[in-house]
Amino acid sequence: MSRKIIFFLVFLLAAALRGSIHFRQELIPGVNGGYYPLQVRSLLENGRLGFADMPLYFWFNAFWVKVLAVFSATPAESWIIPVVKTVDSLFLPLLLIPLYFIARGLRPPDKRVLFRDAAVAVFAVASPWPLMFTGDLQKNAFAIPFFFAFLLFGLKYLRQPSRRWMLAGLISLGLTGLSHFGVFVVAALTLGLGVFFYAPRRALLPLAALALFSTSLVALFDQSRAWRLLTIATELFQHPVLFGPLRPPELLGYFLSWLLLGLGGYVWYKQQAKLDAAERVALPALLALIFLLSFPLINADYAQRLMLMLFVPQAVLCLLLFRRQPPRLSNALAMGLLLLCLAFSPGLMRFKQPVISQAAYEELETLKGQLQLDENTLVIARHGLEWWAGWALHCKTGNEKGVDADTPGRYSQVFFLHQKKGKELSGPMAMDNHPGFREPEPPFGTLEEILNREFFQVCLWKEKQ
């Protein structure tokens, strides 16, 4: 069986796994599952996003909704959720295209090599971390194939420097930035490390230009994220993940990272003279990236987000190490990647559920006809529920973090939506028996009950006179 067929079969497997998570239920799983259709609908109706964000993913979904609406009598809004589910099921597995060319460029195929490449392919699309992106981290998933493409063109440039590969790499980096802030930061960090190891004495000016380009691109669409990028150093090492409880995904990720760091460091130390021009830059850059992303003194919240993206440099590093390791050790590592997927991915898939039950959502839809909502109404709900409230009620929504002393004056009426039952947990929260986000309460004033149904209670926020 050829490498091309193997990668195609792995693509079908990954798309089927992600599709099974999405289409076994009507709603989209995960805390932020409702965010994506809400943003796409805002783009279609108003020509702009309802919440500031990197726009490419929403543009892409809105385009396909428009195409389907043209060839169908069904209203465009009814296509949004199916399109969002389909795109999220299919797009992340497309990372196998650049991964295939990375593997092909490293060594000619034979049966032993194909087994190792197949293991890396399965790891890249069906290990716990890429599967965590399904549903509520769709922008992350959308950006990952562009990140892999950036790594592919970077390796090609290191082997054969040319403007073509440089331009392709910069375009891939730009598409990553238009897709997701976090993945873009990691991709830009990768480029910075590559520049440093490629020409350390001349790296200062390119690194300054990269920092300016990265910040400007983010600020163009979301100034708050750009400011966060500039001030990240002030909070990056507060409340380190090492001193908090580590869940199975973090423990697995750290174990694999430090195993690869050990193997890669040994190859770098012992075989440096045998490395080709691309490996002399790519190997230390990937090792440094994995070390930084899995550094145990990083803030716990940042560490959890960075952990989800570690599989990208881990997959490419494995392909590089297979070339320089004894066959037995390479086969053992490849088998370990497969066993990791088989042992932990099925359990993770089971926990991918929407934040509310279908029955609760159906009641939520009926509230629209029982409340007097207008363009200047705001509904406050717990994080995760606010997206589905905005989708079902077709009004402005937010969570408790956005409520301040000025909120009542900006809206004609502010409702607090409390869910009494029908809550669903998903992902790591479910594995930890986490209670989820609390029901919101106003910082001052009183709540007057307006509706009280089986699943929801709706209260009007009144300021104290």
Side-chain angles (χ1 to χ4, degrees):
M1 187 180 298
S2 69
R3 180 188 280 126
K4 190 178 297 185
I5 293 176
I6 290 174
F7 273 66
F8 178 68
L9 292 177
V10 175
F11 170 84
L12 295 179
L13 168 67
L17 287 175
R18 299 175 70 83
S20 68
I21 294 174
H22 271 300
F23 289 98
R24 70 188 178 196
Q25 52 214 346
E26 293 189 30
L27 302 180
I28 298 173
V31 172
N32 292 314
Y35 175 72
Y36 304 98
L38 188 63
Q39 286 278 62
V40 173
R41 186 175 68 184
S42 176
L43 188 59
L44 290 169
E45 292 180 349
N46 307 314
R48 63 181 184 276
L49 297 177
F51 303 88
D53 209 337
M54 310 312 287
L56 185 58
Y57 183 66
F58 308 109
W59 292 343
F60 187 80
N61 280 276
F63 169 78
W64 287 111
V65 170
K66 279 284 192 181
V67 169
L68 290 171
V70 168
F71 296 100
S72 170
T74 308
E77 183 172 322
S78 64
W79 284 110
I80 293 177
I81 290 181
V83 165
V84 167
K85 288 183 174 184
T86 302
V87 170
D88 190 42
S89 299
L90 295 178
F91 206 87
L92 181 137
L94 291 177
L95 68 83
L96 292 168
I97 296 176
L99 189 64
Y100 165 81
F101 286 104
I102 292 173
R104 192 179 75 170
L106 289 174
R107 54 200 172 276
D110 64 52
K111 291 183 178 180
R112 292 173 298 175
V113 166
L114 290 180
F115 165 70
R116 299 166 200 162
D117 290 351
V120 173
V122 172
F123 170 78
V125 293
S127 61
W129 301 284
L131 287 179
M132 282 184 188
F133 288 155
T134 312
D136 57 345
L137 297 172
Q138 295 183 28
K139 288 193 297 96
N140 308 57
F142 188 77
I144 291 296
F146 297 127
F147 188 7
F148 270 98
F150 165 73
L151 294 175
L152 167 65
F153 295 128
L155 288 169
K156 284 185 173 292
Y157 179 83
L158 291 173
R159 291 193 185 94
Q160 186 184 358
S162 68
R163 291 182 180 180
R164 177 177 63 166
W165 299 130
M166 179 183 291
L167 180 61
L170 291 176
I171 291 174
S172 299
L173 181 64
L175 291 173
T176 306
L178 289 173
S179 301
H180 187 261
F181 168 71
V183 180
F184 173 64
V185 170
V186 175
L189 176 61
T190 308
L191 177 57
L193 292 169
V195 169
F196 175 78
F197 287 107
Y198 183 73
R201 296 182 180 179
R202 294 175 292 163
L204 183 59
L205 186 59
L207 290 178
L210 175 62
L212 180 62
F213 166 75
S214 302
T215 307
S216 301
L217 179 63
V218 175
L220 185 63
F221 299 100
D222 192 339
Q223 295 181 0
S224 65
R225 282 186 170 91
W227 178 249
R228 190 190 311 168
L229 185 60
L230 292 172
T231 60
I232 190 174
T234 61
E235 56 186 8
L236 188 59
F237 299 104
Q238 298 177 4
H239 311 295
V241 65
L242 180 64
F243 303 122
L246 292 174
R247 299 171 301 183
E250 283 96 24
L251 289 172
L252 276 173
Y254 284 134
F255 174 79
L256 181 58
S257 289
W258 290 98
L259 173 63
L260 293 176
L261 286 173
L263 294 174
Y266 179 81
V267 170
W268 173 247
Y269 178 72
K270 288 289 188 179
Q271 303 184 31
Q272 190 169 3
K274 298 179 181 179
L275 302 179
D276 61 29
E279 290 173 313
R280 289 194 187 104
V281 176
L283 184 58
L286 290 172
L287 290 173
L289 180 64
I290 292 173
F291 174 79
L292 293 173
L293 296 185
S294 58
F295 189 60
L297 296 182
I298 293 177
N299 172 274
D301 184 45
Y302 284 107
Q304 290 177 3
R305 301 179 188 187
L306 295 175
M307 176 65 64
L308 291 174
M309 291 178 275
L310 265 171
F311 75 95
V312 179
Q314 287 172 345
V316 178
L317 180 60
C318 283
L319 292 176
L320 290 175
L321 291 181
F322 288 159
R323 187 181 185 185
R324 299 297 177 183
Q325 294 285 358
R328 287 188 178 181
L329 183 57
S330 296
N331 289 336
L333 179 57
M335 182 60 70
L337 295 179
L338 289 176
L339 291 177
L340 185 150
C341 298
L342 291 172
F344 295 98
S345 295
L348 176 71
M349 293 171 58
R350 183 165 57 89
F351 288 113
K352 273 291 182 179
Q353 300 293 335
V355 293
I356 61 173
S357 66
Q358 184 61 32
Y361 175 75
E362 290 171 359
E363 181 179 283
L364 181 62
E365 286 186 305
T366 67
L367 299 183
K368 182 179 180 181
Q370 301 173 48
L371 296 170
Q372 295 182 348
L373 305 174
D374 56 37
E375 294 181 352
N376 208 29
T377 296
L378 176 67
V379 174
I380 300 296
R382 77 176 191 279
H383 182 44
L385 178 60
E386 82 268 46
W387 313 126
W388 291 117
W391 177 259
L393 303 178
H394 220 116
C395 67
K396 295 177 181 177
T397 57
N399 58 50
E400 196 173 32
K401 288 185 178 180
V403 177
D404 55 33
D406 298 329
T407 300
R410 295 198 298 266
Y411 299 93
S412 60
Q413 53 185 353
V414 179
F415 291 110
F416 274 70
L417 179 67
H418 292 163
Q419 187 172 355
K420 300 188 295 182
K421 65 176 187 176
K423 300 178 184 179
E424 300 284 353
L425 297 179
S426 63
M429 287 197 304
M431 288 186 277
D432 293 344
N433 197 26
H434 193 282
F437 296 96
R438 69 174 190 174
E439 299 300 318
E441 296 293 338
F444 56 87
T446 59
L447 293 178
E448 177 185 332
E449 184 179 287
I450 302 299
L451 290 174
N452 197 337
R453 299 292 182 262
E454 180 182 0
F455 293 96
F456 295 101
Q457 177 192 45
V458 182
C459 298
L460 179 65
W461 184 14
K462 289 191 171 184
E463 297 180 82
K464 288 184 178 180
Q465 302 296 328

